[in-house]
Amino acid sequence: MKGIYVKDAVRVCNGEILYGNENEVLDNFINDTREVKEGYVYIGFKGEHNDGSLFYENALENGAKVCILQKKSVYEILDVNQIQSEFPDRTIILVEDTTKAIGKIAEYKRSLYDIPVVGITGSVGKTSTKDIIASVMGKKFNVLKTLGNYNSQVGLPLTVLRLKEENDAMVVEMGMSALGEISNLTKIAKPTVAVITNVGTAHIGNLGSRENILKAKLEILEGLQDDGTLVINNDNDMLHKWNEENPNKKFKVITFGIENKSDIMPYEIVSSENGSTYKIDIEGTTYNVNVTVGGNHFVLNSLCAIAIGGLFGIEMNDILTGIENFELTKRRMQVEKNKNGVTIINDCYNANYDSMKAAIEYLGKINANRKIAVLGDMLELGDYSKVLHEKVGEEVGKNKIDILITVGEAAKGIASKAKEEGIKPSNIYEFKNNNQAIEKIEKIAKEGDAVLIKASNGMKFQEIFEKICDN
């Protein structure tokens, strides 16, 4: 059995057992007391607003058999005798830092599994690329994949800790907002294949330049096994240049792209609002590929999946089935139609210039009576905020969007530039909050219209989607 015992966890994270059984098996790790069930392991993380370690009693009452808590949070308030008398068959582990501890425990868990691991990073498209790769790999393997966007210093370790003996492959995404973060994540996941979807402008306010963003994404190579493979989007200018300027690498590189000559390339691409089809030649045979989500960025995702499938010897027909049937994580190009016949494109999980551009291009190609873009602030752009919001406004004009609705102070730059690009001022509405935007959408959206909803997650645009979907 590839289990982790309390004594293993204590050893690798330099913790201590306050009381309990060192031979207890640790499984079903969770960081939300509301989701704790009998036999789960609860980890208390310290966030901006709450300290999870302080809720250990709730976790124990809900059935947690082990609690991993931050020592400095509970050491002075935890009454060991009382807790032990009330929950005698449980175990409490104290560590200096729960975030670092869970990373160490996950790194140990990963070391127990000799399996293919695909690690994915990039400014845009990590989650959708993960979804399509996992679907393709699922034709041959029992795949564990990142749930939603659990790609952080907490999320990735929790994903790795979900590994079961029946899993013979894993697909994980790695996110970051600063240098050094992917370095830590890749050392936990130890990918056998690394994927970089692109280098854009996400978090440029923190990192200062696209060159630093590239540097951060390339940290994924620090954990890549020596005989591993790097798969990159060769249409991305930064990745293309880096690959050209660094010919002598200790690992294999596979490129995919539409515009630049690449190892995996499509031709005869036919796009519609419902998806794309194209042809591709693999080892002398021509195949027809059907991608069921619209936009060229999903063609690129499928090319990446073809590259990964080929690496693992998956039959091409199975790869095609995996691409055609993959399910996209919610809030990423989620297309719904409300009862009034309005098509709603929910892409509101997050936003930066690159993903905004792709979503607006998709809206521009849709067959709809009117195309309505509801766009909000893009966060963490720092000094680049003004110019990048204005560039989004250029895309609104270029793609001939009929109506623009913006929410937020920074998004005013989208509106002002869209006016310069030819969008009628009478078709542009600027609001301070989501409720105002919802009210306007409900008044103007008619049957046959298409509405795109997109902003950074902090703008809480999901509430706009849910409200107008109900109508």
Side-chain angles (χ1 to χ4, degrees):
M1 178 180 178
K2 298 175 182 177
I4 304 177
Y5 296 88
V6 166
K7 59 187 176 185
D8 299 320
V10 169
R11 173 175 51 82
V12 299
C13 68
N14 196 29
E16 62 178 280
I17 302 173
L18 190 63
Y19 81 88
N21 180 8
E22 69 171 12
N23 292 311
E24 186 75 71
V25 176
L26 302 180
D27 202 3
N28 296 313
F29 290 75
I30 200 79
N31 63 323
D32 187 336
T33 57
R34 296 167 296 183
E35 297 178 16
V36 170
K37 295 180 181 177
E38 196 69 35
Y40 277 29
V41 177
Y42 173 70
I43 318 113
F45 295 109
K46 187 173 177 60
E48 288 183 31
H49 306 294
N50 293 305
D51 188 339
S53 292
L54 300 178
F55 298 96
Y56 63 90
E57 288 186 270
N58 301 82
L60 293 168
E61 288 167 359
N62 289 341
K65 67 179 178 181
V66 177
C67 288
I68 302 175
L69 309 176
Q70 200 147 285
K71 185 175 180 178
K72 59 188 175 184
S73 298
V74 300
Y75 200 72
E76 293 183 358
I77 63 170
L78 195 153
D79 188 328
V80 181
N81 293 329
Q82 179 189 340
I83 292 295
Q84 191 167 11
S85 64
E86 191 173 350
F87 304 100
D89 57 341
R90 314 299 175 83
T91 299
I92 292 182
I93 300 171
L94 298 184
V95 298
E96 294 299 325
D97 184 312
T98 44
T99 300
K100 291 180 180 177
I102 207 66
K104 290 293 184 184
I105 297 168
E107 185 176 352
Y108 174 71
K109 179 77 176 271
R110 167 68 180 98
S111 72
L112 303 178
Y113 288 76
D114 183 15
I115 60 173
V117 174
V118 179
I120 304 163
T121 192
S123 295
V124 184
K126 293 183 292 295
T127 301
S128 54
T129 304
K130 171 210 67 185
D131 290 334
I132 200 166
I133 289 174
S135 180
V136 166
M137 290 185 67
K139 297 301 174 184
K140 181 175 180 178
F141 302 99
N142 184 324
V143 179
L144 171 69
K145 73 169 184 174
T146 300
L147 292 177
N149 72 313
Y150 255 43
N151 60 24
S152 67
Q153 302 298 310
V154 168
L156 182 137
L158 287 175
T159 298
V160 173
L161 288 168
R162 289 172 43 230
L163 274 169
K164 306 288 186 185
E165 290 212 45
E166 60 266 26
N167 297 129
D168 53 4
M170 183 167 64
V171 180
V172 294
E173 57 176 287
M174 303 180 194
M176 65 89 204
S177 58
L179 288 164
E181 292 182 352
I182 290 176
S183 176
N184 185 49
L185 296 178
T186 191
K187 288 167 186 172
I188 294 170
K190 294 182 178 64
T192 56
V193 177
V195 174
I196 305 179
T197 61
N198 45 54
V199 175
T201 56
H203 309 296
I204 196 167
N206 295 343
L207 287 133
S209 67
R210 290 185 71 212
E211 287 73 20
N212 276 344
I213 295 171
L214 171 65
K215 183 179 178 181
K217 301 305 180 187
L218 290 172
E219 289 175 1
I220 196 172
L221 301 177
E222 295 174 20
L224 182 64
Q225 296 185 4
D226 287 343
D227 58 349
T229 302
L230 172 64
V231 181
I232 61 170
N233 173 4
N234 203 33
D235 284 352
N236 181 263
D237 58 337
M238 301 291 284
L239 291 171
H240 177 79
K241 181 182 178 184
W242 172 82
N243 191 41
E244 293 277 304
E245 293 178 352
N246 295 274
N248 300 316
K249 307 178 188 74
K250 66 177 182 179
F251 42 81
K252 181 180 179 182
V253 177
I254 297 176
T255 59
F256 63 90
I258 298 171
E259 298 171 2
N260 291 330
K261 184 172 175 55
S262 305
D263 298 316
I264 308 292
M265 288 194 74
Y267 60 97
E268 294 184 18
I269 301 173
V270 178
S271 299
S272 73
E273 61 188 84
N274 298 317
S276 303
T277 61
Y278 61 84
K279 296 183 185 297
I280 193 165
D281 295 333
I282 303 291
E283 296 181 352
T285 302
T286 299
Y287 296 91
N288 295 308
V289 184
N290 181 30
V291 185
T292 55
V293 183
N296 263 8
H297 47 305
F298 282 96
V299 172
L300 288 167
N301 291 350
S302 69
L303 296 174
C304 182
I306 290 170
I308 299 291
L311 268 177
F312 292 115
I314 300 172
E315 294 291 334
M316 191 61 193
N317 287 332
D318 287 336
I319 292 174
L320 298 178
T321 301
I323 290 171
E324 188 165 354
N325 296 330
F326 91 100
E327 294 184 7
L328 195 61
T329 294
K330 296 294 185 184
R331 294 197 283 166
R332 285 161 172 82
M333 296 304 288
Q334 175 187 354
V335 182
E336 306 281 352
K337 189 167 281 191
N338 71 9
K339 65 184 180 183
N340 294 326
V342 178
T343 298
I344 304 159
I345 306 150
N346 182 22
D347 196 24
C348 69
Y349 179 74
N350 226 331
N352 53 58
Y353 167 69
D354 307 275
S355 63
M356 280 279 202
K357 180 176 184 290
I360 293 166
E361 286 176 346
Y362 174 73
L363 178 64
K365 292 175 182 176
I366 274 187
N367 182 21
N369 290 342
R370 295 180 303 171
K371 298 160 188 181
I372 303 171
V374 184
L375 308 178
D377 290 355
M378 301 180 291
L379 307 178
E380 297 184 355
L381 297 179
D383 293 340
Y384 293 85
S385 182
K386 183 176 185 295
V387 66
L388 289 175
H389 281 89
E390 288 177 351
K391 286 184 71 176
V392 171
E394 290 176 9
E395 294 300 322
V396 171
K398 188 186 302 182
N399 288 279
K400 296 180 169 54
I401 303 306
D402 297 298
I403 297 173
L404 171 64
I405 295 172
T406 66
V407 179
E409 189 65 28
K412 290 179 179 179
I414 300 175
S416 62
K417 198 65 178 179
K419 290 174 189 174
E420 293 179 18
E421 294 295 320
I423 304 298
K424 292 180 181 178
S426 60
N427 288 340
I428 297 175
Y429 305 91
E430 300 175 60
F431 298 112
K432 293 181 179 179
N433 60 59
N434 293 346
N435 287 333
Q436 293 171 336
I438 290 167
E439 185 178 345
K440 176 56 69 174
I441 296 165
E442 289 176 337
K443 283 183 179 178
I444 66 174
K446 307 294 183 186
E447 182 177 1
D449 290 345
V451 179
L452 168 68
I453 303 169
K454 189 161 182 65
S456 282
N457 195 35
M459 297 298 290
K460 297 181 171 57
F461 266 30
Q462 180 68 10
E463 62 190 26
I464 299 179
F465 170 73
E466 290 172 356
K467 185 66 176 177
I468 65 174
C469 259
D470 287 341
N471 294 328

